[in-house]
Amino acid sequence: VASWPLIAACARRRGVTLADRDGIGSRAVAIRKSMRALEAGVSVLNFPEGTTTDGSLLLPFKRGIFGAAQLAGVKVVPVAVRYESSELCWTGDELFMPHYLKTASRPSTRVRVRFGQALDSGAYASAAVLAAVAHARVHDLFYGEPNETAKRFRIPEPRPDSILPAA
């Protein structure tokens, strides 16, 4: 995605840090940027599997962001995101634009988002242990039965942020 001129430029203007999964230097830069944001009090959204899947299994979590959370002394909130249909998942060798157009043409999309209890990152011996605990929590959220009443909501417009660049 980082090499896609329009998508990458828009993402970066929104404060997204893109990392080359195969480049250790790129991942290190992404972790350092995340650390600066966390230390400044900005929440960081991370997909610790490091790739996309069709939702049939939860891959192991990379530990880098968990180490950053420990160093910054912030909590980690496990979140599970599941689409109503695996057709909505962009995976494998599927080209982005056809997938995007197919997804955007749908009249609506149902997504289940479940939030777990925050984990105190300082309570775990290492980033690897914190990653394993977060993985177990996300697994339970992802595959467990919802025990709360489903709520529909609209996603509000983004609010200005003093750290991230304006859109």
Side-chain angles (χ1 to χ4, degrees):
V1 174
S3 65
W4 299 353
L6 183 62
I7 302 289
C10 289
R12 286 190 178 103
R13 272 186 262 137
R14 293 277 186 193
V16 173
T17 300
L18 301 167
D20 175 2
R21 288 178 250 188
D22 298 324
I24 218 160
S26 175
R27 293 191 323 248
V29 167
I31 294 299
R32 283 195 300 274
K33 286 181 178 180
S34 296
M35 273 289 306
R36 284 195 297 274
L38 291 169
E39 288 170 341
V42 176
S43 295
V44 172
L45 173 66
N46 179 270
F47 296 90
E49 289 175 282
T51 191
T52 59
T53 70
D54 65 3
S56 62
L57 66 121
L58 185 63
L59 299 176
F61 285 1
K62 311 285 187 219
R63 68 176 187 260
I65 195 68
F66 297 98
Q70 285 185 311
L71 290 172
V74 298
K75 294 185 180 209
V76 172
V77 179
V79 179
V81 179
R82 176 170 251 172
Y83 292 105
E84 69 179 350
S85 167
S86 62
E87 289 179 8
L88 293 165
C89 302
W90 178 46
T91 60
D93 294 331
E94 184 177 13
L95 296 174
F96 175 74
M97 194 50 84
H99 172 78
Y100 171 78
L101 293 172
K102 178 178 68 175
T103 302
S105 69
R106 295 171 60 101
S108 67
T109 298
R110 294 189 68 174
V111 181
R112 185 173 87 178
V113 181
R114 298 182 72 196
F115 296 85
Q117 291 295 314
L119 303 172
D120 178 0
S121 64
Y124 299 92
S126 68
V129 172
L130 177 56
V133 171
H135 186 276
R137 299 282 172 87
V138 170
H139 182 276
D140 291 346
L141 292 168
F142 196 75
Y143 295 107
E145 292 299 318
N147 57 4
E148 69 281 343
T149 304
K151 296 178 185 165
R152 290 182 182 223
F153 61 93
R154 287 191 187 273
I155 298 173
E157 289 295 315
R159 61 178 168 69
D161 192 298
S162 61
I163 302 295
L164 299 176

